[in-house]
Amino acid sequence: DLISEDIMTYSEAIKKLRLTMCLTQTEFGKIFGVSYSTVNRWESGIHEPTMKIKRQLKKYFNEVGINVEVNV
């Protein structure tokens, strides 16, 4: 499918993942132990998740076929 072929930034991928899971920013934040405002900052591109959170997110991205652009 097209989702797996598209490479997204973390902000795009997090929002797409959250919407795919039908969660609010608050609900999504609870899964990862952060506030809704942190999720909002990730989605708006103001901040990126920590490496610990990125590792946790990777599992969910893989499950729904979201490829994330990784800046090393």
Side-chain angles (χ1 to χ4, degrees), residues 5-64:
E5 295 175 7
D6 294 337
I7 298 178
M8 299 180 211
T9 64
Y10 271 103
S11 60
E12 295 167 329
I14 289 168
K15 185 168 188 175
K16 184 160 193 73
L17 175 62
R18 180 177 63 79
L19 295 175
T20 299
M21 296 172 75
C22 298
L23 298 173
T24 65
Q25 290 179 335
T26 300
E27 294 165 333
F28 190 82
K30 284 181 182 179
I31 292 171
F32 297 99
V34 299
S35 68
Y36 81 91
S37 59
T38 297
V39 175
N40 182 273
R41 288 183 194 111
W42 292 344
E43 290 184 0
S44 63
I46 295 170
H47 294 290
E48 277 197 4
T50 63
M51 287 307 297
K52 179 181 176 184
I53 299 292
K54 286 179 181 179
R55 286 192 290 273
Q56 293 172 349
L57 284 166
K58 183 179 178 182
K59 178 181 91 170
Y60 291 95
F61 290 148
N62 290 337
E63 288 177 7
V64 296

